[in-house]
Amino acid sequence: MKIFVIFFLAIVALFESARSDTIDYWHVFYNKKVIKEYNEYNLKEISIKIDSIKITDTITIRYYRDTPCPDCKTYISIENESGAKIRTKESIGISNPLSFNVFELLQFYRKTNNSIFKIYYYVNDDYNTSRKGLVMVLKLV
């Protein structure tokens, strides 16, 4: 009986210590055209020339992971260099696109002279846990 208990505990410990071998990835679109494809290990920096930005320009992030969650609330948060939130966008479900207007960031830059923006992706699931991950750094040059 002792051997069975030890064997059972060893199996449970093995499963508890196992990690997923897949990683999250996402695609970044500029005006509906893919400009970057990232994963958790890529350098996540995009530069946009200020004089090329139009009023209608948008960036869309489409995030993917191996565990589907069609009912999760998903967010992107745009923050300045010091971590203050500038804008937040919300959607439902992993892999649904989240977009923001680049011209709004240009206007923020003109007011504050802050040209670097950090974009984070959040997932809030049924267990009320949050996951915040940097998906890219946007520089206006």
Side-chain angles (χ1 to χ4, degrees):
M1 184 66 170
K2 264 186 181 177
I3 293 175
F4 177 76
V5 171
I6 291 171
F7 180 75
F8 179 75
L9 290 175
I11 295 295
V12 170
L14 177 68
F15 282 110
E16 288 296 318
S17 67
R19 299 278 182 225
S20 174
D21 62 348
T22 60
I23 59 172
D24 296 356
Y25 65 97
W26 54 95
H27 298 164
V28 178
F29 299 80
Y30 191 81
N31 295 331
K32 298 183 181 182
K33 180 181 175 189
V34 175
I35 58 169
K36 293 282 185 175
E37 294 180 359
Y38 292 118
N39 63 40
E40 295 173 353
Y41 305 111
N42 292 84
L43 177 65
K44 304 163 182 79
E45 190 173 290
I46 294 176
S47 296
I48 299 176
K49 292 183 180 181
I50 291 171
D51 56 353
S52 70
I53 298 173
K54 299 177 186 76
I55 293 175
T56 58
D57 286 354
T58 59
I59 288 184
T60 302
I61 298 169
R62 195 159 201 162
Y63 195 93
Y64 305 92
R65 69 179 192 185
D66 64 338
T67 53
C69 185
D71 300 333
C72 295
K73 287 187 179 181
T74 56
Y75 306 88
I76 54 172
S77 173
I78 304 166
E79 301 178 5
N80 65 12
E81 284 180 287
S82 59
K85 282 187 184 179
I86 299 167
R87 190 101 159 96
T88 302
K89 292 292 208 159
E90 179 183 335
S91 183
I92 301 291
I94 307 267
S95 82
N96 284 333
L98 287 156
S99 301
F100 61 91
N101 186 284
V102 180
F103 191 74
E104 288 179 22
L105 299 182
L106 176 61
Q107 290 180 326
F108 183 83
Y109 161 73
R110 289 179 177 158
K111 290 179 186 174
T112 65
N113 207 26
N114 186 345
S115 63
I116 298 175
F117 304 93
K118 295 179 180 178
I119 292 91
Y120 294 93
Y121 185 84
Y122 297 84
V123 176
N124 289 332
D125 57 22
D126 293 334
Y127 303 106
N128 199 21
T129 59
S130 293
R131 210 166 70 134
K132 176 181 176 181
L134 180 67
V135 290
M136 63 184 245
V137 176
L138 178 65
K139 292 185 178 181
L140 300 183
V141 292

